[in-house]
Amino acid sequence: PVLAGMNGSAIENFSCVVYNIFLMNCTWQAGRDAPADTQYFLYWQNSRDDEEMECDLYVKDENRRNMGCIFHNVTIGTEKAYFLVNGSSNDSLIQFYDEYIDLYK
């Protein structure tokens, strides 16, 4: 099912900012009802022809939970980029979050 997982466990307030053309910083907040042990993982795809890439440098909060990502050597295309943040927890299934974003704007 598309929305499998506990309601309120998906990330919130997802945002990405591109700096100096080649550096992209993405941030998010934990789902309001996510279990304390939830860990999130970010993947993005610049265009349909590109491979999906996982974050290589996560930004962690005080609980060591991934709450952001820094991408280096980013190439911005004219298509919408696809972002997916999924999560895992020992307590329950975590809903994923996905979005298409026009980065070049």
Side-chain angles (χ1 to χ4, degrees):
V2 172
L3 295 177
M6 185 176 73
N7 286 339
S9 61
I11 63 155
E12 300 175 352
N13 300 320
F14 182 78
S15 174
C16 290
V17 177
V18 178
Y19 298 94
N20 297 329
I21 303 173
F22 300 110
L23 181 68
M24 180 170 63
N25 184 29
C26 299
T27 58
W28 58 86
Q29 293 175 330
R32 64 189 169 282
D33 295 326
D37 75 330
T38 302
Q39 186 59 278
Y40 295 105
F41 304 94
L42 171 63
Y43 300 86
W44 86 296
Q45 188 175 19
N46 194 27
S47 73
R48 291 186 177 134
D49 297 328
D50 291 342
E51 285 190 43
E52 190 177 84
M53 296 178 288
E54 182 179 0
C55 175
D56 58 348
L57 181 58
Y58 284 105
V59 176
K60 298 180 180 289
D61 67 7
E62 63 276 0
N63 298 318
R64 311 254 330 124
R65 186 179 345 201
N66 297 339
M67 301 306 288
C69 176
I70 298 171
F71 289 99
H72 297 94
N73 300 319
V74 173
T75 302
I76 305 302
T78 57
E79 297 180 41
K80 290 185 178 195
Y82 175 70
F83 293 86
L84 169 72
V85 181
N86 62 22
S88 65
S89 166
N90 292 326
D91 293 336
S92 66
L93 292 174
I94 304 301
Q95 289 180 330
F96 70 87
Y97 170 92
D98 68 339
E99 183 176 4
Y100 286 91
I101 299 175
D102 285 320
L103 293 178
Y104 66 92
K105 290 183 178 181

